[in-house]
Amino acid sequence: MITKAYKGSISQKLTLAIFFITSITVLIGYTIAISLYIKAQKEDDIHLNSTIQSVIAQDLAKLIFLNNVTAAADITAKLKAFKGLNAVTVYNSKHKAIYEYSKNQEYKPFINSCNDNTLRTYKDSIELTSSIFYAGNKIGCSRINLHFDSIFSIIKKHLESMLVFYFFMLLLSLILAKYYAKRFTKPILYLADFLDSIEFTSSLNRRINIKYDDEFGKLYEETNMMLENIESSLISQKKAEEELKFLQQYDALTGFANKELFLKSLQIQIDKKKENIWHFMFCLNIKKFNQINELYGHTIGDILLQKLAQRIKQDFSNATIFAKIGVDEFIVCYRDVSKNRENAVGKAEKSIEILQTEVYNEFRINEKLINISLYIGINVYQDERNSSEDILRATDAALHMAKNEDKNLAFYNKEIENETLKRLEIATDLHQALKEHQFELYYQLQYKDDGSIYGAEALIRWNHPQKGLIPPVEFIEIAENSGVIVAVGDWIIKQGCKQLANWGKDDRTKEWVLAINVSSKQFDDYLVSKIKNAIVKNGINSTKLKVELTESLFLENFDENVQKLQELKDYGIQISIDDFGTGYSSLQYLKKLPTNQIKIDQSFVVGMLNDTKDIAIIKSIIELGDALELDVIAEGVETKEHFELLKSLHCRYFQGYYFAKPQPIEKIKLDNSLKMQLNL
Ligand code: C2E
Ligand code: CA
Ligand code: CA
C-alpha cells in the first residue's frame, strides 16, 4: 500500500541537491572567471604601461635634456590616444615632476615622487611606477594611473548577465533533476507496487519483469530470487506442517484417526444434538500383542496391526468413525443406529459377530500364520449429556472388564461403571497410602513336614482410613497398572528385611526364611541393587530372604529377567516360583530359571480331595521338583486331610490356614507349640 506522501520525496531531494550543486558551480565559475579577468587586466595594464613608456620615451628625453616645451604637448597628444589611461606624471632623475597629464579632474597630478617599479591598485584604477630609460640610461621615472575594473565593478557590470545565466542554469538543472528523478523513482515505484501486490502467500509465485539492465535490473533479479527462496521455504514449511498435522491427528501406521481426532470427531457428532437416538461403538484390543511382538518381531507386529486395520475398514465400511487409540487398540463407532435400545444392542451384536469368527483372526504374514484373539468392549449409548470423553471412557471400561475377566467381549453397563469408579478411587488413594503409612505387612508362617516352622510369607494389607482393611487382590493389580507398585514394592523390601533382622537376633527365629512377593512390574534396572542394599543395611543373612515371583515375569524380557534373578541367586537370595502350574509354565523355561523352590498353587490343593486330576498334577509337580532339585511347597493347605495327602505325596513344605493365617507381626507365635497342638 503505497501512500501519496512517499511519491515525491526522491525527486524533491534530487531537485534540492541539483539546485545546490548548480548554485555552487555557478558561484565558483564566476569567482574563477572574475579572478582570471582581474589577472588578465593587470597583465594588460603592465603591458600598456611599458607601451606608453616606450611611446613617450623620446619626447621625454627631449623634455628632460633639452627642456623642449613642444615635447610636452606632443606627449599629451600621444597619451590621449590611450583609452584606459587616467593620468601620467613624469619625474626627472632628481624626483621633480616635469610632466603631468590627467584625463579629467578626478585624477589630480601626483605630488610625491615615484619609486621604481611599484604597483598599487585602487578602487577602480591601478597605478604603476617605473624607471624611464633612454639610450640605456635612466632618465627619470613615470607614474601611470590606468583604468582598472575592481571585483565590485565587474560584478556590477555583469550582474544582469550573471543572473540570466544563473537562472538559465537553474532551469536547466531543474529540468534535468525532474527527468532523472523520474528515471530513478519510476523503477522504484514499479518495484514497490509489485511488492505491494504480493500480500498473500498465494501470490508468492509472481515475479517482477526485469526491464532494466542497470542496477535496477540487478535489484529486480535479486527480488525475484528472494521471492523464489521464500516461496520454496514456505512450501517446504507448509508441507512439514501438513505432515505434522497429519501425524498429530492420525496414526502413522494405519492412517486411522488418533485418540485426539477421534474425540473431536465424536464430539462434533454429539453436538448435532439428536435426541432419543441410540448409537454404539466398540473397542478392540489384541490379546497378548506383546507376546506376538516378542515372538515374531516388531516388524511383523506392525504389519499385523496394518492388516487388522484394513480388515476393520473393509468389514465395517458403513461405520461413522474409525480410530486407533492405543498401540493395539482400535475403535469403531456407529452413529444413529436406532430409536430403540434393544434394536441397537442387536445391531451391535450382529456387527461384531464377524470379529469372533476364526477366519477373521487368522493372518498370513511373510509365510507365517498368526492367530490372534480379540478383547471387545461394546458401548450402546445415547448422547444425552455425555461428552465424547465420557463415551470413550465407558467403552474402555467395558474393554477392561473383558480383559479382567478374560472374556472375549463385554457390554458396558452400570456395574462396570461402578467397578471402574472403584478402581479409579483406589488408584488415586494408593499414592496417599504410602505417604500416610497405611500399609502393613502380615506374616503367614510356613511349615516343614515335621510341623516345625520353616519361615513365613510377607503379605501386604492396606488399612484404609475410611474403607477399613483392604486385601491385596483389590489393589495390587491397580498398583501394578499405575506403576505405584514400584514404590510400594520398595517399602515391602525394606520392611521385610527389617523383620528378618529382628528374627536374626532371636535363637528361636534366626533360621526362619522370609518370602516376599515381587511383582513383575518391579523388575526394573534398580531392583537387584535395591534388594542388595536392604540386605546390607539391615545386616541380614541373604540366604534367609526369598523372592516369590509368578510366571508372568517370564512373558516379557525373559533373558534380561533371568539375568537379574541369577544376580540375586548369586548373592545368596532364594527364588520361588509362586502359583506354579497356573501360568505359562514351560519346562523349557523352568530349566533355564535360577530357582530354589516351586509353590504348588492353592487351586490344586483345594481341588485335590475331590479331583484325582489335581492329585496327579500335584504329584507330578513334586516329582518335577525332585528331579530338578527344587524345594516344593504347597499353599492353601486348609485341612488335616490336605496336609496328610500332601505329605503322602512327599510334599515337604506347607502353608495354609490349617497351620496359620496371615497375621500382624505381634500375633506371630515364635515357638513350635503348634507342633503339639496338631499332634505332630
Ligand atoms: P499369593 O502370593 O498367592 O498369596 C497367597 C494368598 O493365599 C494370600 O492371600 C493368603 O492370605 C492366601 N492364603 C493363605 N493360606 C490360605 C488358605 O489356606 N486358604 C486360602 N483360601 N487362602 C490362603 P492374600 O494375602 O489376600 O494375597 C493375595 C495375593 O496378593 C497374593 O497371592 C499375592 O499375589 C498378592 N500379594 C499379597 N501381598 C503382596 C505383596 O506384598 N506384594 C505383592 N507384589 N503381591 C502381594
Ligand atoms: Ca506369594
Ligand atoms: Ca500363591
Side-chain angles (χ1 to χ4, degrees):
M1 242 145 285
I2 307 294
T3 51
K4 279 268 181 207
Y6 288 114
K7 281 209 163 156
S9 103
I10 280 196
S11 140
Q12 273 170 12
K13 280 176 193 150
L14 203 66
T15 309
L16 209 70
I18 288 187
F19 171 81
F20 192 68
I21 291 167
T22 310
S23 307
I24 297 272
T25 314
V26 169
L27 200 71
I28 292 173
Y30 264 103
T31 313
I32 292 171
I34 289 171
S35 45
L36 284 177
Y37 179 83
I38 287 173
K39 196 176 165 216
Q41 195 180 221
K42 220 179 238 176
E43 275 164 11
D44 280 355
D45 282 355
I46 290 167
H47 186 69
L48 188 64
N49 179 48
S50 42
T51 310
I52 291 171
Q53 274 194 345
S54 59
V55 167
I56 61 170
Q58 209 169 0
D59 292 322
L60 271 178
K62 280 182 196 167
L63 190 69
I64 292 167
F65 297 123
L66 307 173
N67 208 8
N68 187 340
V69 187
T70 55
D74 285 347
I75 292 171
T76 306
K78 278 179 184 167
L79 286 178
K80 273 182 180 162
F82 290 98
K83 259 193 165 172
L85 179 67
N86 290 328
V88 177
T89 311
V90 179
Y91 300 86
N92 64 13
S93 51
K94 285 170 186 140
H95 304 293
K96 189 174 173 242
I98 53 164
Y99 174 78
E100 281 170 353
Y101 165 82
S102 171
K103 201 175 179 179
N104 52 40
Q105 283 304 102
E106 238 180 276
Y107 301 97
K108 294 258 177 313
F110 306 102
I111 324 144
N112 32 354
S113 64
C114 74
N115 298 314
D116 282 356
N117 302 325
T118 62
L119 190 150
R120 265 190 210 104
T121 45
Y122 299 99
K123 205 174 129 203
D124 54 1
S125 66
I126 183 166
E127 199 184 87
L128 300 117
T129 50
S130 47
S131 306
I132 304 168
F133 292 93
Y134 186 75
N137 299 314
K138 185 180 170 186
I139 54 169
C141 106
S142 69
R143 201 177 168 117
I144 299 174
N145 186 296
L146 294 164
H147 172 79
F148 187 80
D149 281 338
S150 69
I151 290 178
F152 298 107
S153 60
I154 295 169
I155 290 174
K156 214 164 144 189
K157 213 164 31 191
H158 298 284
L159 188 66
E160 219 165 274
S161 62
M162 242 169 85
L163 283 177
V164 169
F165 177 71
Y166 174 65
F167 283 118
F168 171 75
M169 285 300 286
L170 207 59
L171 193 70
L172 196 69
S173 325
L174 289 181
I175 291 167
L176 280 176
K178 268 271 170 284
Y179 172 73
Y180 279 105
K182 211 169 166 194
R183 281 198 63 174
F184 286 130
T185 52
K186 208 174 143 196
I188 293 171
L189 289 176
Y190 180 69
L191 179 65
D193 279 342
F194 169 75
L195 290 176
D196 191 40
S197 71
I198 303 181
E199 278 186 349
F200 304 103
T201 39
S202 58
S203 53
L204 266 176
N205 58 353
R206 295 192 54 201
R207 297 290 175 266
I208 192 165
N209 178 21
I210 304 174
K211 50 184 183 179
Y212 301 98
D213 55 3
D214 52 13
E215 285 85 346
F216 286 112
K218 178 100 186 110
L219 181 66
Y220 284 17
E221 202 183 324
E222 293 290 336
T223 307
N224 281 347
M225 262 157 72
M226 182 188 76
L227 286 172
E228 219 155 274
N229 288 341
I230 295 175
E231 195 193 2
S232 68
S233 72
L234 269 181
I235 287 172
S236 43
Q237 192 184 328
K238 217 169 149 192
K239 229 169 111 190
E241 269 170 17
E242 273 165 11
E243 266 171 30
L244 194 72
K245 209 168 161 191
F246 183 85
L247 287 178
Q248 277 169 349
Q249 300 202 310
Y250 293 90
D251 172 62
L253 202 60
T254 59
F256 273 27
N258 67 9
K259 188 173 173 182
E260 216 184 324
L261 181 60
F262 165 71
L263 288 173
K264 262 191 226 160
S265 316
L266 182 59
Q267 195 59 51
I268 291 171
Q269 298 286 331
I270 293 170
D271 292 342
K272 288 181 185 164
K273 292 203 176 12
K274 285 187 186 167
E275 275 166 25
N276 302 323
I277 296 278
W278 290 88
H279 323 275
F280 75 83
M281 65 190 254
F282 52 86
C283 192
L284 307 176
N285 187 240
I286 304 174
K287 279 188 196 176
K288 294 177 196 158
F289 181 66
N290 274 347
Q291 257 177 303
I292 295 172
N293 262 341
E294 290 246 320
L295 210 61
Y296 301 102
H298 285 262
T299 316
I300 296 230
D302 285 353
I303 298 174
L304 175 69
L305 291 173
Q306 281 169 331
K307 290 205 164 191
L308 179 61
Q310 275 165 13
R311 258 179 217 187
I312 292 172
K313 204 155 190 183
Q314 212 174 333
D315 293 329
F316 303 102
S317 55
N318 51 347
T320 322
I321 314 169
F322 301 97
K324 180 168 169 284
I325 61 167
V327 180
D328 57 342
E329 205 167 316
F330 293 89
I331 293 268
V332 180
C333 189
Y334 279 85
R335 299 283 301 173
D336 306 330
V337 178
S338 173
K339 286 195 169 180
N340 173 287
R341 185 176 191 276
E342 265 56 58
N343 203 343
V345 171
K347 282 191 178 171
E349 277 171 337
K350 186 111 195 82
S351 73
I352 57 156
E353 263 171 21
I354 190 170
L355 292 174
Q356 289 163 300
T357 57
E358 268 174 36
V359 195
Y360 193 89
N361 296 322
E362 239 177 48
F363 290 87
R364 187 166 285 284
I365 302 170
N366 297 353
E367 300 305 312
K368 288 192 184 84
L369 190 68
I370 300 174
N371 268 300
I372 59 160
S373 45
L374 297 167
Y375 288 118
I376 310 165
I378 313 171
N379 183 13
V380 181
Y381 64 95
Q382 283 188 312
D383 291 339
E384 289 178 325
R385 260 163 282 148
N386 289 321
S387 69
S388 58
E389 283 190 43
D390 295 333
I391 292 162
L392 179 61
R393 201 178 304 123
T395 316
D396 235 13
L399 180 74
H400 273 101
M401 187 50 88
K403 278 188 188 174
N404 288 343
E405 297 182 359
D406 202 22
K407 293 193 300 195
N408 279 348
L409 67 111
F411 270 85
Y412 176 76
N413 57 31
K414 265 276 170 258
E415 284 111 75
I416 292 182
E417 185 173 358
N418 293 340
E419 179 64 22
T420 318
L421 279 177
K422 215 168 118 191
R423 290 171 71 88
L424 215 77
E425 257 178 42
I426 289 184
T428 341
D429 289 354
L430 269 171
H431 290 272
Q432 205 63 19
L434 204 60
K435 275 190 224 150
E436 295 179 359
H437 310 291
Q438 294 169 9
F439 292 119
E440 187 182 354
L441 278 190
Y442 273 34
Y443 298 86
Q444 184 177 30
L445 292 174
Q446 297 175 333
Y447 288 80
K448 292 184 193 161
D449 50 2
D450 64 356
S452 60
I453 297 172
Y454 163 68
E457 177 179 6
L459 293 157
I460 196 168
R461 298 291 179 265
W462 180 3
N463 296 307
H464 194 286
Q466 284 90 38
K467 295 176 184 150
L469 197 73
I470 305 180
V473 281
E474 286 183 29
F475 67 86
I476 288 289
E477 193 215 318
I478 299 169
E480 283 177 339
N481 290 341
S482 71
V484 76
I485 189 71
V486 178
V488 175
D490 290 350
W491 177 83
I492 295 166
I493 294 166
K494 278 186 203 153
Q495 204 62 23
C497 288
K498 255 192 224 166
Q499 190 50 52
L500 261 181
N502 285 340
W503 285 342
K505 290 176 205 149
D506 190 324
D507 275 348
R508 291 172 297 173
T509 53
K510 68 175 188 221
E511 291 304 322
W512 288 12
V513 173
L514 178 68
I516 57 169
N517 292 283
V518 175
S519 156
S520 58
K521 297 283 183 333
Q522 284 174 256
F523 265 74
D524 58 16
D525 292 344
Y526 310 100
L527 180 75
V528 175
S529 55
K530 276 186 216 166
I531 296 178
K532 285 184 185 175
N533 284 346
I535 289 173
V536 173
K537 202 174 162 203
N538 290 286
I540 56 174
N541 179 351
S542 61
T543 60
K544 300 296 171 211
L545 182 68
K546 191 191 286 173
V547 171
E548 267 189 32
L549 317 153
T550 60
E551 288 153 295
S552 66
L553 175 66
F554 308 108
L555 289 179
E556 287 173 40
N557 313 327
F558 180 80
D559 293 330
E560 253 176 64
N561 290 340
V562 164
Q563 198 194 326
K564 284 173 191 157
L565 286 187
Q566 190 63 55
E567 273 184 65
L568 292 175
K569 197 164 181 243
D570 291 346
Y571 201 65
I573 298 160
Q574 298 194 47
I575 315 286
S576 174
I577 309 292
D578 206 353
D579 306 338
F580 191 79
T582 58
Y584 314 88
S585 335
S586 139
L587 298 180
Q588 194 66 26
Y589 277 0
L590 194 63
K591 199 178 83 181
K592 289 186 190 165
L593 291 184
T595 342
N596 303 84
Q597 186 184 61
I598 43 182
K599 204 168 184 184
I600 304 172
D601 186 65
Q602 46 184 290
S603 61
F604 303 119
V605 178
V606 168
M608 68 192 287
L609 296 177
N610 309 313
D611 195 340
T612 48
K613 278 189 196 148
D614 283 329
I615 298 178
I617 292 172
I618 292 172
K619 216 173 141 194
S620 54
I621 292 177
I622 293 169
E623 277 166 13
L624 184 70
D626 281 346
L628 296 175
E629 295 181 348
L630 301 171
D631 289 339
V632 178
I633 182 167
E635 65 176 342
V637 185
E638 293 185 350
T639 62
K640 192 172 165 59
E641 288 77 26
H642 288 149
F643 175 51
E644 294 296 344
L645 188 52
L646 284 164
K647 225 168 36 161
S648 72
L649 294 171
H650 306 292
C651 183
R652 293 183 44 228
Y653 299 94
F654 308 88
Q655 181 183 345
Y657 296 165
Y658 175 60
F659 299 94
K661 287 204 165 178
Q663 296 174 90
I665 189 65
E666 56 280 1
K667 295 212 173 138
I668 299 288
K669 293 205 175 75
L670 299 181
D671 54 24
N672 278 336
S673 58
L674 192 86
K675 217 172 168 175
M676 267 90 88
Q677 267 179 47
L678 298 174
N679 295 325
L680 290 165

